[in-house]
Amino acid sequence: STFPGFCSFHDSSTFQPIDTQDFNFSRKHIFLLSYRSVCRELYAKKAHLDGLDKLRNFDAGLPFEQQVQFQNEINQLKIYTAKGSGEIKALKIMYDMKLKSEDYDSLNSYIISFEGISPIVCSGTGEFLNDAFQNPLQNLDDVSTDSESTSFHIIPVQTGTVAVFVALGKCNVWKNLIDSLEHVENEKIGDFLIKFAFFNFENVYASPTWWDNLSSDIQEYLLKLTQAMANPNASVEPPNVSDDFDLKTEWKALSRSILYAKS
């Protein structure tokens, strides 16, 4: 999706290689794909902080005790959001430096190539909590510890579809997540990544034909996944490769490759 993070000139000049050329799996293309999602995430977190400030007036007319509870919840959300905003801002500064120097060797990437076209596309940067088997990757509740962000993309290419995981700088979360994905069979990983995208991002677009052909139970499950991160009371577990929800995408992985940072 688009977002007003760049003027037309800088958006076109910065991302021209991936907007006008076929994705060629080079470090530069992978970098630009990830950089755009990092910029979008920073924009979204700033908007979230602004929205929380506006929410402060929404308790008008409530009993005093409810107003206190409401303001405490807003304050707690601001603490977590401000921390996340600061971390993604620091990550963007790192990306800015690499972009200006055209140094793309600090990227770690994991690419899975699929035959056929995926029923969804997705691009985002997130602080992932669980791996493919629901093992914890990091604890975002601990504000004294820096969290790690990883970008994730599902995009069409000439040969079919690719899923790309990218990390810059610290990458323990990326490494542990990739290690878990390496243990997922080719026949199952496509379904898992679709669930993973719905759970971790709102920036997901699905084929209407594919969506309409899903059973109502699967549709309801995927919608619950989209709500889980924003609603701690959502009655849904993080996706894992052993759950009972088969999307029947017949989206089979053909190959996988890991590209480690050179510096």
Side-chain angles (χ1 to χ4, degrees):
S1 62
T2 59
F3 67 102
F6 297 88
C7 68
S8 176
F9 172 79
H10 285 101
D11 184 79
S12 298
S13 60
T14 301
F15 300 106
Q16 182 269 342
I18 56 174
D19 285 343
T20 63
Q21 303 171 19
D22 292 325
F23 186 73
N24 63 17
F25 301 90
S26 67
R27 287 183 182 269
K28 182 175 182 178
H29 276 208
I30 294 169
F31 176 90
L32 291 175
L33 194 66
S34 182
Y35 179 58
R36 175 177 266 165
S37 72
V38 168
C39 294
R40 182 187 182 278
E41 183 63 18
L42 177 59
Y43 178 86
K45 279 186 163 54
K46 286 182 176 179
H48 190 193
L49 275 175
D50 292 342
L52 288 176
D53 286 334
K54 293 179 173 63
L55 275 177
R56 286 195 176 280
N57 297 321
F58 278 48
D59 63 352
L62 294 176
F64 176 74
E65 293 80 7
Q66 293 184 26
Q67 288 188 8
V68 171
Q69 180 182 358
F70 183 84
Q71 293 298 326
N72 285 338
E73 290 175 353
I74 293 294
N75 287 336
Q76 194 65 29
L77 277 173
K78 282 202 69 174
I79 291 173
Y80 288 120
T81 305
K83 176 178 180 290
S85 181
E87 289 171 344
I88 199 71
K89 183 178 181 179
L91 181 61
K92 181 184 177 293
I93 290 173
M94 291 175 60
Y95 269 88
D96 289 342
M97 294 171 59
K98 300 297 182 182
L99 178 70
K100 291 176 182 178
S101 63
E102 298 186 1
D103 175 11
Y104 311 123
D105 289 340
S106 299
L107 283 180
N108 299 276
S109 63
Y110 180 65
I111 300 176
I112 309 172
S113 297
F114 295 87
E115 63 179 351
I117 301 299
S118 164
I120 73 164
V121 291
C122 172
S123 182
T125 295
E127 299 155 322
F128 303 143
L129 301 179
N130 303 94
D131 68 12
F133 300 94
Q134 285 194 354
N135 298 310
L137 293 171
Q138 58 187 333
N139 178 16
L140 299 185
D141 291 332
D142 185 0
V143 294
S144 65
T145 303
D146 291 340
S147 60
E148 295 183 26
S149 293
T150 303
S151 71
F152 172 63
H153 318 270
I154 296 177
I155 59 171
V157 294
Q158 278 190 317
T159 56
T161 306
V162 294
V164 187
F165 291 86
V166 187
L168 180 68
K170 290 197 311 180
C171 58
N172 289 329
V173 168
W174 175 86
K175 288 178 180 177
N176 292 332
L177 175 60
I178 297 319
D179 182 65
S180 75
L181 293 173
E182 283 284 274
H183 290 85
V184 179
E185 299 95 325
N186 283 348
E187 291 74 16
K188 292 184 177 181
I189 198 164
D191 269 20
F192 171 76
L193 292 182
I194 291 175
K195 300 170 192 175
F196 181 88
F198 272 84
F199 182 73
N200 286 287
F201 301 106
E202 83 286 356
N203 193 33
V204 177
Y205 296 83
S207 159
T209 301
W210 170 77
W211 179 263
D212 290 342
N213 285 329
L214 294 175
S215 69
S216 58
D217 288 345
I218 297 296
Q219 289 180 349
E220 182 180 359
Y221 167 67
L222 292 175
L223 290 174
K224 284 183 177 180
L225 287 181
T226 66
Q227 301 162 7
M229 295 298 281
N231 179 12
N233 298 316
S235 57
V236 63
E237 292 289 323
N240 71 83
V241 296
S242 302
D243 62 34
D244 296 327
F245 293 95
D246 183 0
L247 306 185
K248 297 182 173 63
T249 59
E250 299 181 359
W251 191 39
K252 183 179 178 181
L254 297 177
S255 64
R256 311 182 192 205
S257 61
I258 302 178
L259 190 66
Y260 292 106
K262 295 181 179 179
S263 58

